Amino acid sequence: MLEITKESIEKATAKARIAKPLVKVIEFRRYSVTNKTTGATYEVRFTKIGNQKFGECSCPATKICYHISSCLPINAVLASQMIQTA
Ligand SMILES: [Zn+2]
């Protein structure tokens, strides 16, 4: 799992804007991301521990990748619609 911070997602977000991969919701905090050019599909998962957010992706990247950053806006929208239970 990789911690998601402003700093750690900065480059990935820039790359996501260029790559514009196709993001599908599997369930809340679980997404399928497809590169439209290569057809490669990876699975992204998010976890929240306290106030820290973590992400993981099935691609070979060892840092926060653009698959993870591509899912963040959708995850934020879904999270805002969720009734959070302690
Ligand atoms: Zn990835």
Side-chain angles (χ1 to χ4, degrees), residues 2 33 42-44 56-69:
L2 303 159
V33 183
Y42 300 103
E43 192 175 316
V44 171
E56 57 182 308
C57 179
S58 61
C59 83
T62 53
K63 289 182 178 176
I64 298 280
C65 60
Y66 76 93
H67 307 114
I68 290 175
S69 66

Side-chain angles (χ1 to χ4, degrees), residues 5-83:
T5 62
K6 268 187 185 174
E7 292 74 29
S8 71
I9 67 155
E10 210 168 37
K11 276 185 187 170
T13 303
K15 196 175 173 188
R17 280 199 199 107
I18 298 163
K20 291 192 178 73
L22 183 69
V23 179
K24 284 186 199 162
V25 179
I26 299 170
E27 58 186 31
F28 180 51
R29 291 181 175 161
R30 214 174 136 210
Y31 306 91
S32 152
V33 183
T34 304
N35 181 314
K36 288 178 192 166
T37 310
T38 65
T41 301
Y42 300 103
E43 192 175 316
V44 171
R45 288 165 186 260
F46 293 114
T47 310
K48 203 173 175 188
I49 301 169
N51 286 323
Q52 288 172 293
K53 284 187 210 165
F54 297 89
E56 57 182 308
C57 179
S58 61
C59 83
T62 53
K63 289 182 178 176
I64 298 280
C65 60
Y66 76 93
H67 307 114
I68 290 175
S69 66
S70 300
C71 299
L72 280 173
I74 296 165
N75 194 65
V77 170
L78 291 179
S80 71
Q81 293 172 351
M82 290 272 172
I83 297 165

